[in-house]
Amino acid sequence: MTFAWHRVIALARKDALELIRNPGAIFPAVMMVFGALFPAFLVIVVVPRMVGKTFEESGEFADEAARAADLIPELAGLAGNALVQTFIFHQFAVLLMLVPIVAAMALATHAVIGEKQARALEPLLATPISTVELLAAKTLTPFLFALALTWGVVMLYLAGAAVFGEPGVWRAVAGMRLFLMFGLLAPLVELASLQVSVIVSSRSNDPRSAQQITGLLILPLTAVFVAQLMGLLVIGPSALILTSLAFVLVNGILLWVGVQVFQRESILTRWTR
Amino acid sequence: MTSLVTADGLTRVFDDRVAVRDVSLTVNAGEIVCLLGPNGAGKTTTMRMLAGLILPTSGRISINQIEVTEVTAGRARSSVGLLTEAPGLWERLSVRNNLLTYARLHGVADADRSVDQALRHVDLLDRAGDVAGKLSKGLKQRTALARALLHQPPVLLLDEPTSGLDPASARHVRDLIVDLRSEGRAILVSTHNLGEAQQLADRIGVLKTQLLAFDTPRALRQARAGARVVIDLEGSNIPIEKPIDSLSDIPGIVAAIVGDGKRIVRVTPTERSLEDVYLDLVGDER
């Protein structure tokens, strides 16, 4: 049978309706928005007020910012407080990557386990929908929702940089690096998170336990963020492109695993028990 | 009569467990066939194979003249309306949104109209806006039945349609099933309820991994357990019971008793109940 988008859209539309009526599913994603946005502004706005000096005056981050200018083109031409602020906004932007990971994970586990809990998989599979269409539908709504949320958070981040940063800082933040991070890498990381969540959900009957397992995905990102703060690592555009290519490969592998897991017979004889 | 469901030698093995062995049956247009059997007898597995959800390990299935294979299973499913044992509704959505999604999945041309039709069929049109999770069990089951009818399937497979319903709701569902038969659909009902099977079925299959019997309720009662005649005698509290093959055996039995000089008060030919037949077939597993 050929792949039919109308079936994918019908089911994805249903998932979107359910999502709107289930704030519990969206809650972890919304909490992560605050968790990801808050630290950068805490450092940029609160720390200088607490110590009574600007970054330029205190010399905090100044050396790292100057060194990073070689790897982050957006820092070129900036100096003083604006340079340090732009550097900090760039470093903390990595934290925003938590939003697509956590949102995708929270929504996908609900999308799959919700069907199990409602015992809706058998009537669903009794329609002409193929298992690949089912897999596509189960990832489409979480993907679009998490991506929209991520881009919304990036806009808020830039708006915050415009409000709280030195004049022109937000423009230097909204450069190629941010585009590569959230226009290219974030959708790929999100897709990987979605696929891992769907695979884990196939073996779990509780969204929270599935989320605990897929939550391990944020550990590598946290490690990257800490390495950046310690000055061990600066992520430039080429590193972002290479990481994106690696995620294309990872997604290919996960897709293969997902298709193996999403077998009609396993769904009926094992998932619905 | 047109056979819309044909199963020929169906066997299904899960790992090393045989769930269903060598089952052959047909369901004709305008006919209700009830599948009786104890828990774990293979009723749901048989239903799932006939619905094109899982493939048999061996054997052949034809649904609405479509030979069911891995390639054609999707097309065969379009001809089948399956009512699963649990209604499996999306409880946060309204009845209408539940059904609209299924109508779209089936590619129904005018989804809204077919939802209205299906709801009218099960007398639920006035509850279309209700959230599915707030419906009673009986109403959920009727919603699930409406879902099975959305794409006007010629074949209906109903797995325990009245399980857990109160008597009034169960009766409503049974009346609906009878209505659907009169529309010329082929209906296969899996049930534990012998009274329901007797009431609904044109033919009954008794399944315990394999099909132990498949015939009309009357033929099953007569052929399997044998009819009897009960003869009450004057001056005796203990009636005489004799097995008979047919009613034509009775005059001979009566003549023999009269010939012995006994006076007969009443002659009552009896059939054994479907329950007796069923327990004879599957064994009393108390």
Side-chain angles (χ1 to χ4, degrees), chain B residues 250-283:
Chain B
I250 294 175
I253 295 168
V254 168
I257 292 170
V258 171
D260 285 347
K262 292 172 183 160
R263 289 175 66 89
I264 295 172
V265 177
R266 188 169 45 224
V267 176
T268 318
T270 62
E271 288 174 338
R272 296 188 72 190
S273 69
L274 187 58
E275 187 177 33
D276 293 331
V277 176
Y278 173 79
L279 290 175
D280 276 350
L281 284 164
V282 303

mmCIF file of all heavy atoms in Angstrom, chain B residues 250-283:
data_model
loop_
_atom_site.group_PDB
_atom_site.id
_atom_site.type_symbol
_atom_site.label_atom_id
_atom_site.label_comp_id
_atom_site.label_asym_id
_atom_site.label_seq_id
_atom_site.Cartn_x
_atom_site.Cartn_y
_atom_site.Cartn_z
ATOM 1 N N ILE B 250 -40.567 -41.069 18.504
ATOM 2 C CA ILE B 250 -41.420 -41.035 19.703
ATOM 3 C C ILE B 250 -42.572 -42.063 19.647
ATOM 4 O O ILE B 250 -42.803 -42.775 20.634
ATOM 5 C CB ILE B 250 -41.942 -39.598 19.943
ATOM 6 C CG1 ILE B 250 -40.737 -38.694 20.285
ATOM 7 C CG2 ILE B 250 -42.966 -39.551 21.071
ATOM 8 C CD1 ILE B 250 -41.064 -37.223 20.440
ATOM 9 N N PRO B 251 -43.309 -42.183 18.506
ATOM 10 C CA PRO B 251 -44.429 -43.145 18.514
ATOM 11 C C PRO B 251 -43.987 -44.564 18.898
ATOM 12 O O PRO B 251 -44.688 -45.256 19.648
ATOM 13 C CB PRO B 251 -44.945 -43.092 17.072
ATOM 14 C CG PRO B 251 -44.549 -41.730 16.594
ATOM 15 C CD PRO B 251 -43.254 -41.439 17.258
ATOM 16 N N GLY B 252 -42.842 -44.978 18.452
ATOM 17 C CA GLY B 252 -42.347 -46.317 18.764
ATOM 18 C C GLY B 252 -42.103 -46.479 20.259
ATOM 19 O O GLY B 252 -42.463 -47.509 20.854
ATOM 20 N N ILE B 253 -41.500 -45.413 20.870
ATOM 21 C CA ILE B 253 -41.215 -45.468 22.309
ATOM 22 C C ILE B 253 -42.525 -45.524 23.096
ATOM 23 O O ILE B 253 -42.687 -46.315 24.025
ATOM 24 C CB ILE B 253 -40.363 -44.238 22.717
ATOM 25 C CG1 ILE B 253 -38.989 -44.314 22.040
ATOM 26 C CG2 ILE B 253 -40.207 -44.138 24.222
ATOM 27 C CD1 ILE B 253 -38.177 -43.033 22.128
ATOM 28 N N VAL B 254 -43.476 -44.667 22.678
ATOM 29 C CA VAL B 254 -44.783 -44.624 23.347
ATOM 30 C C VAL B 254 -45.475 -45.987 23.236
ATOM 31 O O VAL B 254 -45.998 -46.534 24.218
ATOM 32 C CB VAL B 254 -45.661 -43.502 22.732
ATOM 33 C CG1 VAL B 254 -47.119 -43.620 23.209
ATOM 34 C CG2 VAL B 254 -45.096 -42.135 23.111
ATOM 35 N N ALA B 255 -45.437 -46.562 22.058
ATOM 36 C CA ALA B 255 -46.107 -47.857 21.834
ATOM 37 C C ALA B 255 -45.501 -48.930 22.729
ATOM 38 O O ALA B 255 -46.237 -49.754 23.328
ATOM 39 C CB ALA B 255 -45.969 -48.254 20.360
ATOM 40 N N ALA B 256 -44.184 -48.916 22.886
ATOM 41 C CA ALA B 256 -43.528 -49.920 23.716
ATOM 42 C C ALA B 256 -43.948 -49.792 25.174
ATOM 43 O O ALA B 256 -44.202 -50.797 25.853
ATOM 44 C CB ALA B 256 -42.014 -49.774 23.588
ATOM 45 N N ILE B 257 -44.063 -48.512 25.648
ATOM 46 C CA ILE B 257 -44.454 -48.295 27.052
ATOM 47 C C ILE B 257 -45.900 -48.731 27.274
ATOM 48 O O ILE B 257 -46.233 -49.406 28.253
ATOM 49 C CB ILE B 257 -44.234 -46.805 27.429
ATOM 50 C CG1 ILE B 257 -42.735 -46.503 27.442
ATOM 51 C CG2 ILE B 257 -44.846 -46.469 28.784
ATOM 52 C CD1 ILE B 257 -42.393 -45.031 27.549
ATOM 53 N N VAL B 258 -46.763 -48.353 26.329
ATOM 54 C CA VAL B 258 -48.181 -48.739 26.426
ATOM 55 C C VAL B 258 -48.299 -50.267 26.376
ATOM 56 O O VAL B 258 -49.080 -50.887 27.109
ATOM 57 C CB VAL B 258 -49.008 -48.067 25.299
ATOM 58 C CG1 VAL B 258 -50.433 -48.613 25.245
ATOM 59 C CG2 VAL B 258 -49.039 -46.550 25.519
ATOM 60 N N GLY B 259 -47.476 -50.865 25.530
ATOM 61 C CA GLY B 259 -47.470 -52.324 25.396
ATOM 62 C C GLY B 259 -47.098 -53.018 26.702
ATOM 63 O O GLY B 259 -47.509 -54.142 26.969
ATOM 64 N N ASP B 260 -46.322 -52.322 27.544
ATOM 65 C CA ASP B 260 -45.952 -52.883 28.854
ATOM 66 C C ASP B 260 -47.075 -52.708 29.876
ATOM 67 O O ASP B 260 -46.904 -53.013 31.059
ATOM 68 C CB ASP B 260 -44.707 -52.173 29.403
ATOM 69 C CG ASP B 260 -43.447 -52.622 28.673
ATOM 70 O OD1 ASP B 260 -43.529 -53.633 27.947
ATOM 71 O OD2 ASP B 260 -42.397 -51.958 28.834
ATOM 72 N N GLY B 261 -48.180 -52.118 29.429
ATOM 73 C CA GLY B 261 -49.347 -51.952 30.293
ATOM 74 C C GLY B 261 -49.311 -50.700 31.144
ATOM 75 O O GLY B 261 -50.074 -50.572 32.102
ATOM 76 N N LYS B 262 -48.419 -49.765 30.834
ATOM 77 C CA LYS B 262 -48.350 -48.523 31.613
ATOM 78 C C LYS B 262 -49.216 -47.457 30.964
ATOM 79 O O LYS B 262 -49.424 -47.474 29.758
ATOM 80 C CB LYS B 262 -46.901 -48.049 31.708
ATOM 81 C CG LYS B 262 -46.049 -48.988 32.567
ATOM 82 C CD LYS B 262 -44.592 -48.631 32.507
ATOM 83 C CE LYS B 262 -43.794 -49.641 33.327
ATOM 84 N NZ LYS B 262 -42.396 -49.651 32.960
ATOM 85 N N ARG B 263 -49.721 -46.522 31.800
ATOM 86 C CA ARG B 263 -50.563 -45.442 31.287
ATOM 87 C C ARG B 263 -49.751 -44.148 31.247
ATOM 88 O O ARG B 263 -49.157 -43.750 32.245
ATOM 89 C CB ARG B 263 -51.805 -45.267 32.165
ATOM 90 C CG ARG B 263 -52.798 -46.424 32.013
ATOM 91 C CD ARG B 263 -53.946 -46.268 32.990
ATOM 92 N NE ARG B 263 -54.758 -45.096 32.677
ATOM 93 C CZ ARG B 263 -55.808 -45.124 31.831
ATOM 94 N NH1 ARG B 263 -56.135 -46.255 31.226
ATOM 95 N NH2 ARG B 263 -56.514 -44.039 31.610
ATOM 96 N N ILE B 264 -49.759 -43.560 30.101
ATOM 97 C CA ILE B 264 -48.949 -42.336 29.903
ATOM 98 C C ILE B 264 -49.790 -41.096 30.186
ATOM 99 O O ILE B 264 -50.903 -40.969 29.697
ATOM 100 C CB ILE B 264 -48.388 -42.291 28.461
ATOM 101 C CG1 ILE B 264 -47.404 -43.444 28.275
ATOM 102 C CG2 ILE B 264 -47.728 -40.946 28.157
ATOM 103 C CD1 ILE B 264 -46.919 -43.634 26.855
ATOM 104 N N VAL B 265 -49.235 -40.184 30.991
ATOM 105 C CA VAL B 265 -49.930 -38.922 31.311
ATOM 106 C C VAL B 265 -49.500 -37.813 30.329
ATOM 107 O O VAL B 265 -50.310 -37.054 29.824
ATOM 108 C CB VAL B 265 -49.605 -38.465 32.757
ATOM 109 C CG1 VAL B 265 -50.260 -37.120 33.067
ATOM 110 C CG2 VAL B 265 -50.033 -39.521 33.746
ATOM 111 N N ARG B 266 -48.162 -37.765 30.078
ATOM 112 C CA ARG B 266 -47.666 -36.665 29.220
ATOM 113 C C ARG B 266 -46.392 -37.100 28.503
ATOM 114 O O ARG B 266 -45.564 -37.815 29.078
ATOM 115 C CB ARG B 266 -47.370 -35.445 30.093
ATOM 116 C CG ARG B 266 -47.042 -34.186 29.297
ATOM 117 C CD ARG B 266 -47.029 -32.949 30.184
ATOM 118 N NE ARG B 266 -46.311 -33.163 31.427
ATOM 119 C CZ ARG B 266 -46.752 -32.756 32.631
ATOM 120 N NH1 ARG B 266 -47.889 -32.113 32.733
ATOM 121 N NH2 ARG B 266 -46.045 -32.982 33.716
ATOM 122 N N VAL B 267 -46.279 -36.664 27.258
ATOM 123 C CA VAL B 267 -45.059 -36.932 26.474
ATOM 124 C C VAL B 267 -44.444 -35.585 26.090
ATOM 125 O O VAL B 267 -45.101 -34.759 25.455
ATOM 126 C CB VAL B 267 -45.382 -37.742 25.191
ATOM 127 C CG1 VAL B 267 -44.129 -37.931 24.340
ATOM 128 C CG2 VAL B 267 -45.997 -39.080 25.547
ATOM 129 N N THR B 268 -43.192 -35.362 26.518
ATOM 130 C CA THR B 268 -42.556 -34.056 26.246
ATOM 131 C C THR B 268 -41.226 -34.250 25.515
ATOM 132 O O THR B 268 -40.243 -34.695 26.124
ATOM 133 C CB THR B 268 -42.288 -33.288 27.557
ATOM 134 O OG1 THR B 268 -43.416 -33.421 28.418
ATOM 135 C CG2 THR B 268 -41.971 -31.831 27.302
ATOM 136 N N PRO B 269 -41.203 -33.951 24.216
ATOM 137 C CA PRO B 269 -39.890 -34.001 23.544
ATOM 138 C C PRO B 269 -39.043 -32.804 23.999
ATOM 139 O O PRO B 269 -39.554 -31.697 24.102
ATOM 140 C CB PRO B 269 -40.234 -33.889 22.059
ATOM 141 C CG PRO B 269 -41.686 -33.637 21.981
ATOM 142 C CD PRO B 269 -42.266 -33.516 23.333
ATOM 143 N N THR B 270 -37.795 -33.015 24.320
ATOM 144 C CA THR B 270 -36.936 -31.899 24.777
ATOM 145 C C THR B 270 -35.620 -31.899 23.999
ATOM 146 O O THR B 270 -35.131 -32.936 23.567
ATOM 147 C CB THR B 270 -36.591 -32.013 26.272
ATOM 148 O OG1 THR B 270 -35.854 -33.210 26.468
ATOM 149 C CG2 THR B 270 -37.819 -31.994 27.142
ATOM 150 N N GLU B 271 -35.097 -30.666 23.863
ATOM 151 C CA GLU B 271 -33.740 -30.528 23.318
ATOM 152 C C GLU B 271 -32.846 -30.117 24.460
ATOM 153 O O GLU B 271 -33.298 -29.448 25.391
ATOM 154 C CB GLU B 271 -33.726 -29.425 22.262
ATOM 155 C CG GLU B 271 -34.419 -29.802 20.993
ATOM 156 C CD GLU B 271 -34.494 -28.613 20.044
ATOM 157 O OE1 GLU B 271 -34.393 -27.470 20.524
ATOM 158 O OE2 GLU B 271 -34.664 -28.847 18.852
ATOM 159 N N ARG B 272 -31.602 -30.454 24.416
ATOM 160 C CA ARG B 272 -30.705 -29.973 25.449
ATOM 161 C C ARG B 272 -30.367 -28.512 25.165
ATOM 162 O O ARG B 272 -30.462 -28.051 24.040
ATOM 163 C CB ARG B 272 -29.458 -30.836 25.509
ATOM 164 C CG ARG B 272 -29.821 -32.258 25.911
ATOM 165 C CD ARG B 272 -28.616 -33.080 26.161
ATOM 166 N NE ARG B 272 -27.970 -32.670 27.414
ATOM 167 C CZ ARG B 272 -26.777 -33.112 27.780
ATOM 168 N NH1 ARG B 272 -26.110 -33.929 26.984
ATOM 169 N NH2 ARG B 272 -26.243 -32.722 28.915
ATOM 170 N N SER B 273 -30.010 -27.791 26.231
ATOM 171 C CA SER B 273 -29.743 -26.363 26.061
ATOM 172 C C SER B 273 -28.403 -26.166 25.352
ATOM 173 O O SER B 273 -27.558 -27.063 25.317
ATOM 174 C CB SER B 273 -29.704 -25.678 27.424
ATOM 175 O OG SER B 273 -28.557 -26.111 28.120
ATOM 176 N N LEU B 274 -28.247 -24.965 24.851
ATOM 177 C CA LEU B 274 -26.979 -24.628 24.202
ATOM 178 C C LEU B 274 -25.828 -24.721 25.211
ATOM 179 O O LEU B 274 -24.710 -25.107 24.878
ATOM 180 C CB LEU B 274 -27.066 -23.207 23.626
ATOM 181 C CG LEU B 274 -25.900 -22.762 22.766
ATOM 182 C CD1 LEU B 274 -25.692 -23.673 21.579
ATOM 183 C CD2 LEU B 274 -26.094 -21.318 22.316
ATOM 184 N N GLU B 275 -26.151 -24.394 26.461
ATOM 185 C CA GLU B 275 -25.134 -24.473 27.508
ATOM 186 C C GLU B 275 -24.640 -25.916 27.665
ATOM 187 O O GLU B 275 -23.440 -26.163 27.782
ATOM 188 C CB GLU B 275 -25.720 -23.962 28.821
ATOM 189 C CG GLU B 275 -24.696 -23.858 29.928
ATOM 190 C CD GLU B 275 -25.284 -23.282 31.206
ATOM 191 O OE1 GLU B 275 -26.477 -23.539 31.484
ATOM 192 O OE2 GLU B 275 -24.539 -22.597 31.910
ATOM 193 N N ASP B 276 -25.598 -26.875 27.643
ATOM 194 C CA ASP B 276 -25.209 -28.292 27.748
ATOM 195 C C ASP B 276 -24.292 -28.662 26.586
ATOM 196 O O ASP B 276 -23.275 -29.331 26.756
ATOM 197 C CB ASP B 276 -26.454 -29.194 27.706
ATOM 198 C CG ASP B 276 -27.330 -29.012 28.933
ATOM 199 O OD1 ASP B 276 -26.769 -28.666 29.986
ATOM 200 O OD2 ASP B 276 -28.555 -29.204 28.821
ATOM 201 N N VAL B 277 -24.714 -28.202 25.400
ATOM 202 C CA VAL B 277 -23.938 -28.532 24.191
ATOM 203 C C VAL B 277 -22.534 -27.947 24.300
ATOM 204 O O VAL B 277 -21.535 -28.630 24.052
ATOM 205 C CB VAL B 277 -24.644 -27.959 22.936
ATOM 206 C CG1 VAL B 277 -23.804 -28.208 21.695
ATOM 207 C CG2 VAL B 277 -26.022 -28.555 22.783
ATOM 208 N N TYR B 278 -22.495 -26.678 24.720
ATOM 209 C CA TYR B 278 -21.217 -25.970 24.817
ATOM 210 C C TYR B 278 -20.287 -26.674 25.814
ATOM 211 O O TYR B 278 -19.117 -26.928 25.542
ATOM 212 C CB TYR B 278 -21.489 -24.518 25.247
ATOM 213 C CG TYR B 278 -20.256 -23.707 25.539
ATOM 214 C CD1 TYR B 278 -19.510 -23.158 24.508
ATOM 215 C CD2 TYR B 278 -19.832 -23.507 26.846
ATOM 216 C CE1 TYR B 278 -18.374 -22.417 24.783
ATOM 217 C CE2 TYR B 278 -18.707 -22.767 27.132
ATOM 218 C CZ TYR B 278 -17.978 -22.219 26.092
ATOM 219 O OH TYR B 278 -16.850 -21.497 26.364
ATOM 220 N N LEU B 279 -20.843 -27.006 26.983
ATOM 221 C CA LEU B 279 -20.003 -27.631 28.011
ATOM 222 C C LEU B 279 -19.570 -29.028 27.583
ATOM 223 O O LEU B 279 -18.454 -29.458 27.891
ATOM 224 C CB LEU B 279 -20.747 -27.673 29.352
ATOM 225 C CG LEU B 279 -20.939 -26.300 30.002
ATOM 226 C CD1 LEU B 279 -21.793 -26.403 31.256
ATOM 227 C CD2 LEU B 279 -19.598 -25.652 30.322
ATOM 228 N N ASP B 280 -20.443 -29.716 26.852
ATOM 229 C CA ASP B 280 -20.036 -31.024 26.312
ATOM 230 C C ASP B 280 -18.830 -30.872 25.396
ATOM 231 O O ASP B 280 -17.910 -31.690 25.390
ATOM 232 C CB ASP B 280 -21.184 -31.648 25.491
ATOM 233 C CG ASP B 280 -22.164 -32.376 26.377
ATOM 234 O OD1 ASP B 280 -21.851 -32.556 27.576
ATOM 235 O OD2 ASP B 280 -23.244 -32.747 25.880
ATOM 236 N N LEU B 281 -18.889 -29.793 24.611
ATOM 237 C CA LEU B 281 -17.838 -29.608 23.599
ATOM 238 C C LEU B 281 -16.511 -29.148 24.203
ATOM 239 O O LEU B 281 -15.455 -29.706 23.896
ATOM 240 C CB LEU B 281 -18.290 -28.582 22.553
ATOM 241 C CG LEU B 281 -19.303 -29.074 21.529
ATOM 242 C CD1 LEU B 281 -19.946 -27.899 20.821
ATOM 243 C CD2 LEU B 281 -18.618 -29.994 20.524
ATOM 244 N N VAL B 282 -16.591 -28.120 25.048
ATOM 245 C CA VAL B 282 -15.324 -27.537 25.530
ATOM 246 C C VAL B 282 -14.860 -28.175 26.830
ATOM 247 O O VAL B 282 -13.719 -27.977 27.254
ATOM 248 C CB VAL B 282 -15.406 -26.002 25.713
ATOM 249 C CG1 VAL B 282 -15.798 -25.326 24.425
ATOM 250 C CG2 VAL B 282 -16.349 -25.628 26.827
ATOM 251 N N GLY B 283 -15.763 -28.930 27.482
ATOM 252 C CA GLY B 283 -15.408 -29.542 28.756
ATOM 253 C C GLY B 283 -15.695 -28.572 29.876
ATOM 254 O O GLY B 283 -15.481 -27.371 29.730
#
